[in-house]
């Protein structure tokens, strides 16, 4: 007679499988919390026309949730071609002045393309909704420093680091762990950005290439840990928190500006 494994063994096996799957899965830009926070910052900054257009296209779905779709479809083979649109590769010491997007596209060409498609009122509603979902997502992506990354380590995905008892790759740390360590809900985190949002609203909005240049300029900070131990010490964690808060605030302000510029007179 076959012997069924105990409940404890079955649970342990399931946890092991889940852990392996989580470790093998590619990191997604900023994780759900980062994208929700950017949407929460942007939403109250939309002009009336932009808010109405977003509501009409997305059937009332709120901006914090619209930004999640582009990561949710990444395992769908029908959207496999969209993977390169989430990032761009720039070598150490290189300038963005002469950078050209590759044939398969990148985050810069994607922002340009979907802004253009969203502006075109003659396109089918379904097509414009896809453009909105991608645009909202990619404006956040380009503000994550490792989405303007090194090709050789896949934007930090191949760099293992640790802090405390946590081991994680560098990309996932900047996507998810920095925000998670705050212990705040997404809404509370967004509220804590109020002063940074006010500061970002006082800055020139710039262009997507400018935003990418800012992310590239943060590379030295992102890799400023001991290369031998790969331990992220307290000072590093504090810097990462400060950088992430500022980038999320800027991303939210600039997302609102981008959408307002499409539909609002004088934006």
């Amino acid at each position: 007679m076959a012997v069924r494994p105990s409940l404890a063994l079955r649970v342990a096996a399931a946890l092991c499988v889940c852990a392996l799957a989580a470790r093998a899965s590619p990191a997604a830009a900023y994780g759900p919390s980062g994208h929700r926070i950017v949407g929460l910052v942007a939403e109250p900054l939309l002009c009336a026309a932009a808010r109405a257009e977003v509501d009409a296209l997305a059937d009332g779905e709120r901006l914090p949730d619209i930004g999640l779709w582009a990561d949710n479809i990444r395992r769908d083979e029908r959207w496999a071609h969209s993977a390169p649109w989430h990032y761009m590769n720039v070598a150490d010491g290189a300038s963005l002045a002469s950078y050209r997007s590759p044939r398969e596209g990148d985050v810069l060409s994607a922002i340009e393309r979907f802004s253009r498609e969203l502006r075109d009122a003659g396109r089918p509603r379904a097509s414009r909704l896809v453009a909105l979902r991608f645009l909202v997502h990619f404006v956040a992506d380009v503000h994550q420093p490792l989405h303007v990354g090194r090709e050789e380590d896949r934007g930090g995905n191949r760099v293992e680091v640790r802090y405390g008892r946590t081991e994680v790759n560098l990309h996932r740390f900047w996507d998810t762990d920095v925000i998670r360590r705050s212990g705040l809900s997404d809404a509370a985190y967004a509220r804590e950005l109020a002063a940074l949002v006010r500061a970002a609203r006082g800055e020139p909005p710039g262009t997507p290439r400018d935003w990418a240049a800012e992310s590239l300029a943060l590379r030295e900070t992102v890799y400023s840990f001991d290369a031998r131990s790969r331990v992220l010490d307290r000072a590093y964690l504090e810097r990462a928190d400060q950088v992430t808060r500022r980038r999320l605030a800027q991303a939210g302000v600039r997302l609102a500006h981008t959408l307002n510029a499409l539909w609002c007179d004088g934006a």
Side-chain angles (χ1 to χ4, degrees):
M1 182 176 66
V3 178
R4 296 183 63 191
S6 69
L7 176 61
L9 286 175
R10 295 199 304 272
V11 170
L15 290 174
C16 182
V17 169
C18 290
L20 288 172
R23 189 172 181 82
S25 63
Y30 267 136
S33 285
H35 284 284
R36 288 195 190 97
I37 291 164
V38 170
L40 286 165
V41 169
E43 196 168 54
L45 304 180
L46 294 181
C47 68
R51 187 176 298 110
E53 193 75 23
V54 170
D55 286 346
L57 284 173
D59 285 330
E61 184 179 10
R62 293 186 57 201
L63 206 56
D65 298 315
I66 289 171
L68 304 181
W69 178 84
D71 275 340
N72 293 339
I73 63 165
R74 291 184 73 170
R75 294 186 183 278
D76 186 332
E77 62 180 13
R78 294 171 298 178
W79 290 102
H81 61 283
S82 71
W85 303 346
H86 292 253
Y87 62 90
M88 55 193 291
N89 292 317
V90 182
D92 285 342
S95 166
L96 288 184
S98 58
Y99 176 85
R100 296 293 179 270
S101 297
R103 175 177 291 185
E104 65 271 20
D106 63 7
V107 69
L108 287 185
S109 62
I111 290 173
E112 179 182 0
R113 170 188 168 182
F114 292 115
S115 294
R116 185 173 60 250
E117 292 185 4
L118 193 54
R119 184 183 294 112
D120 183 359
R123 295 182 68 87
R125 175 181 172 276
S127 174
R128 294 178 71 226
L129 176 56
V130 168
L132 174 65
R133 293 190 186 282
F134 274 132
L135 180 61
V136 170
H137 186 91
F138 294 145
V139 169
D141 275 2
V142 77
H143 285 82
Q144 205 272 56
L146 281 165
H147 278 258
V148 184
R150 295 168 168 168
E151 184 174 9
E152 58 267 29
D153 67 18
R154 295 182 64 242
N157 275 293
R158 292 177 176 164
V159 179
E160 295 296 321
V161 294
R162 61 187 177 91
Y163 60 96
R165 296 183 178 180
T166 301
E167 295 185 7
V168 67
N169 73 58
L170 186 64
H171 191 109
R172 184 174 177 83
F173 171 79
W174 281 87
D175 271 353
T176 303
D177 289 36
V178 180
I179 300 170
R180 182 183 295 158
R181 290 186 68 255
S182 72
L184 298 171
S185 68
D186 299 340
Y189 194 107
R191 287 194 296 270
E192 283 203 354
L193 299 180
L196 292 170
V197 169
R198 287 193 295 272
R201 294 185 72 185
E203 301 170 351
T207 66
R209 188 173 288 260
D210 294 329
W211 311 337
E214 293 168 352
S215 287
L216 180 60
L218 289 166
R219 184 169 297 177
E220 183 176 351
T221 297
V222 170
Y223 285 89
S224 64
F225 52 85
D226 184 89
R228 292 170 297 179
S229 70
R230 300 200 174 186
V231 171
L232 309 183
D233 61 19
R234 182 182 297 274
Y236 183 98
L237 296 175
E238 290 176 355
R239 285 195 302 273
D241 178 67
Q242 293 167 4
V243 167
T244 296
R245 287 171 181 264
R246 183 163 189 259
R247 295 304 276 165
L248 290 171
Q250 290 174 321
V253 169
R254 291 162 177 177
L255 173 59
H257 174 83
T258 299
L259 297 177
N260 288 344
L262 294 176
W263 296 306
C264 307
D265 293 337

